[in-house]
Amino acid sequence: MEKFDRLTGVAAPLPLVNVDTDKIIPKQFLKTIKRTGLAEGLFYEMRFDEAGKPKPGFVLDQPAYKNAKILVTGENFGCGSSREHAPWALLDAGIRCVIAPSFADIFYNNCFKNGILPIVLPAEQVDLLMDDAQRGANAVVTVDLEKQEITGPDGGILHFDVDAFRKHCLLNGLDDIGLTQQKADKIAAYEARQRTSQPWLNP
Amino acid sequence: MAQPRTLFDKIWDSHLVDRQDDGTCLIYIDRHLVHEVTSPQAFEGLRLAGRKVHRPEAALAVADHNVPTTDRSHGIADTESRIQVETLASNCADFGVPFVAMDDVRQGIVHIIGPEQGFTLPGTTIVCGDSHTSTHGAFGALAFGIGTSEVEHVLATQTLIQKPAKNMRITVEGARPLGVTAKDVILAIIGRLGTAGGTGHVIEYAGPAITDLCLEGRMTVCNMSIEAGARAGLIAPDETTFAYLRGRPMAPKAGRWEAAVAYWRTLPSDQGAAYDKDVRIAAGDIEPQVTWGTSPQDVVPVSGRVPDPAAVADDAKRQAMAQSLSYMDLTPGTAMRDVRIDKVFIGSCTNGRIEDLREVAAVVEGRAVADGVYAMIVPGSGLVKNQAEEEGLDKIFRAAGFDWREPGCSMCLAMNADRLEPGERCASTSNRNFEGRQGRGGRTHLMSPGMAAAAAVAGRIADVRELSR
């Protein structure tokens, strides 16, 4: 996983609530057996018509936001299915940070596994960033994970909270599985206990 | 004396492998369901890192999302779908994971076959790369959906890195009125909580209107916990649970059964256990429910009308509602019962079990699908299909004009060939009415199997109670 320490980039506004994972990436793109190349499916139905022709106007297709690295959006972002294709598609399109008043649990968790930082801020602060993000290519925002600070285009600073362990993993680009495998002895001890306490779980 | 604990607390505590100083926990996963859509990248990850599956026998794999629900003797026509299903089969063979093939009678939707096989057991932790894993909470198992990275983590280590969820209890008091089913109860709950009301929580469902339900109904309730934002739903195991499990192929056998049941009886929440949120709902106030919008929280009683965005004060919510109504092509104030439909979909991990099909048969027997309506029934598994055919339900369905199909996820998410065309309106027993969910431009109204059957017969959204016999 790619490290996340400090990110500076254009923030794109997506002022919608309850953006579900079907909307982030519809089902026809879930047939892949790869993690890459999913950007073409990102927000597909908002960007392309039924014949597959580009629909003008979607925020990430506008010249000012083509290279956006941050998405500012509404509450309950990422609700619905567990598809990790949603963060994979965002990542493939260059988005490394999503800022919203709230996220759905599974999507939120999936972001951290892919080097994307999801930031929860109070609605009033998201509104401020949304206004900033409307300024197009001038909407350059810096996210510093170590300091847990967002610096807006005018230099204003917002503080954000993040789970300490997740922060540690993102800052260092750590592989969860590798970390867990260091606890192999504890897992083995648990399995031994369970074989005695709940023998019916082991056919 | 020990602190009173909830059902969730007990399962959590009994699966703790390690707890770090920062509160991050490593929990053991007893059961892992695997399907073709969210697993290929996980197996690929194992391969790239040279890792093995830690405990293959703790997993059970089946293809369900991409499978055709028509004749399968010639395989899958769509190349990408076929490759994905074949990839699951070869990954399972390579890593030694038990796999139920498409031509096996046990094949079906992952959340239907787990319980059917007795793979799902009380007091266990169950995960799957699928948000509707919450279904298995109906047995008093802590069951939740995970992403593909976590699928890989479970395959490699049989554990997950987690923090404990908050406890929420929803007590549904009193008896369900006639014609009000498990689906109506959970839709009414989602309408009340909202689509994010359960975020960060595990919901324990309690009260007589829940414990009165058969296991199939309990699964319907727990299944849609995710639609209220909760990753998991739970119902305490009881005699109904034990009766359902006894004799299932993978359930504990005689000799171990008694010890298992004795343990399962210790699982229900203790008197006085604390909940972070405690919600009470009167079953008597619940009518058959139907959705009008593009979120499962957009729900009204069937006697209700399409709501008016003008009555909503909050800007973002008003705009979202207006956008929903525009997508759904509905005018505020329209009676739900005046909304005509084009298609009916009966099936899914929410409502593809035998009880659901019986509910449909009771409504449509001796009646016919309305002119101009296409209605399909997709059983949740090969075993559900066989059971329905043994009971003669297929004859009732066919005589009424329903298409009786092979098992799979089908038009719940339209990954296979079953889908809505742009502009088509569907009465559906599935779980999500998101824009484009059942096919681009398709319009979904969620409801119970009985209500979907009534809609098929009436050609419009109808009150199943008026068709009851």
Side-chain angles (χ1 to χ4, degrees), chain B residues 16-17 75 112 118 124 142 169 205 213 242 251 263 274 280 301 308 311 314 321 342 366 402 404 435 441 462 468:
Chain B
L16 214 48
V17 172
I112 293 199
T124 56
L142 177 60
R169 177 170 59 186
Y205 302 95
L213 292 170
F242 311 147
Y263 173 69
R280 289 182 178 275
D308 189 349
D314 182 85
M321 186 188 262
D342 305 297
F402 282 88
W404 174 240
E435 285 185 24
S468 297

Side-chain angles (χ1 to χ4, degrees), chain B residues 388-389 392-400 404:
Chain B
E389 291 180 353
L393 305 185
D394 60 319
K395 292 193 182 66
I396 295 171
F397 299 147
R398 286 195 169 110
W404 174 240

Side-chain angles (χ1 to χ4, degrees), chain A residues 91-113:
Chain A
L91 196 62
D92 200 38
I95 303 291
R96 293 287 314 273
C97 176
V98 185
I99 302 173
S102 61
F103 291 89
D105 286 336
I106 305 177
F107 175 83
Y108 183 76
N109 197 37
N110 283 342
C111 283
F112 285 100
K113 310 289 181 191

Side-chain angles (χ1 to χ4, degrees), chain A residues 60-93:
Chain A
L60 295 178
D61 294 324
Q62 293 171 22
Y65 297 105
K66 272 263 182 229
N67 297 315
K69 293 181 182 169
I70 299 160
L71 193 65
V72 184
T73 188
E75 63 182 30
N76 200 30
F77 187 80
C79 61
S81 116
S82 66
R83 59 189 72 166
E84 202 160 312
H85 308 69
W88 293 338
L90 286 165
L91 196 62
D92 200 38

